Structures are given as structure tokens and as C-alpha cells.
Amino acid sequence: MYRERLLQDTPYLTKSGRLSERVADRIILQLNRVYPQILSNKEAERFRNPQTPLRTRLSDLLKHLHRNGDRECQEFYRALRNNADKIYATLPSRENIQRVEPAEISAEQEKIILNDRGPLYFLACFSAAAGLAFLLYYNNPEMKSNGSARKVFGYTAIGFGRHIKNILISFLEEPLGSQ
């Protein structure tokens, strides 16, 4: 993937005036110091030789990276992004990546992705939670209750799992005055 991108970006990067001498040196130094397996000291000296024109050194560096593999090309892009973010953002391969539109997702797939149980399940759960919250908020233990809250909890326990049933049933079993 990165090798193909590097082939596409090579003419853009080697165009005179695109990369300055300083930025090219920083990229080469980063590849040499951080990833010495990508560029040895001897290779780094060859690509940093000020007697060779910058365009030639850059094209040689890019050919070398392309020959070595995809990981080396990826590290070059990482170094380019660290040292020349504006140039990295305007690369032709980046523009092609940004132009690609995301794949269409059908309504059925979207429904499965969002929730495979449907909107009624959500409404039922939300209603039960809101009802319990209102019931607990407005059920004042100091006031004499006619047991309506206990009846609601008794019916609510039918639809829940074992642990929640145990909690609700234990609430039903407590005497009214102990709250």
C-alpha cells in the first residue's frame, strides 16, 4: 500500500522547491536515528551529501525505500508528516484517499449495526427505567403508602433477570415502617 503511494508521490516530492534541504536532512536523520534498520549510517551519509543535487538525493532515497519494502515507505511517510506536515497534507496520494467515498450501508445493515433488537426494545427499557426512577423519587417513606409502589415492583419483577428480581422481591418483603 505505502509502496504504491510512494510511487505515486515521487514526482511530486522530487519536483524542485518542494522539499527544502533542511527538511530532507531531518527526514533522513529521523530514518537513520529512530529506525537504523531502514537507513544505515553509510546510506544516510550518501543521501545527505551536499555535493549531490537535492533532487537526485531525494529520488535515490525514494527508490531505496521503495526497494526495501512497505514498512520502510510507511516510516518515510511518518517522518515526512513529522517534519513537513503541509507537504504531507498536499501529497497526491493523500488527495486520492480523501476523495474516496465511504461505502454505502444498507438500511438493514445499519439497523443491525445500531441495535439488533429494534426501537421497541429501547422504548420498553427506557420506560421501565424512567418509571422506576419516578417511583423511587416520589415514594416518600415517611408518608403512609397504600402499597401501590410494592404492587408495581411485584409486577415489574416478572420481566427482569434473576438478580434484579431478587432485589425487587426483597424490597417487597420489607415491612413498610423499616424504610
Side-chain angles (χ1 to χ4, degrees), residues 90-167:
T90 59
L91 289 172
S93 63
R94 297 263 317 144
E95 291 174 6
N96 290 342
I97 291 172
Q98 292 169 353
R99 280 190 213 138
V100 174
E101 295 179 16
E104 291 286 326
I105 298 175
S106 69
E108 236 176 83
Q109 288 175 332
E110 187 175 349
K111 186 187 230 183
I112 291 170
I113 290 170
L114 295 176
N115 186 356
D116 60 346
R117 297 186 184 190
L120 288 179
Y121 180 78
F122 168 75
L123 288 175
C125 291
F126 181 75
S127 299
L132 279 173
F134 279 120
L135 191 62
L136 290 174
Y137 182 75
Y138 286 110
N139 188 15
N140 190 353
E142 296 169 0
M143 293 176 50
K144 283 283 184 181
S145 172
N146 61 0
S148 63
R150 294 182 185 280
K151 290 178 190 174
V152 171
F153 278 135
Y155 288 116
T156 308
I158 295 170
F160 289 111
R162 189 183 68 196
H163 298 295
I164 296 176
K165 279 184 188 178
N166 291 339
I167 293 170

Side-chain angles (χ1 to χ4, degrees), residues 6 11-12 27-28 33 36 55 60 65 69 78 80 112-113 123 129 142 151 153-154 159 164:
L6 191 61
Y12 178 81
I27 291 170
I28 293 167
R33 290 181 182 158
R55 186 173 180 179
D60 289 345
L65 293 172
R78 184 172 291 145
L80 181 65
I112 291 170
I113 290 170
L123 288 175
E142 296 169 0
K151 290 178 190 174
F153 278 135
I164 296 176

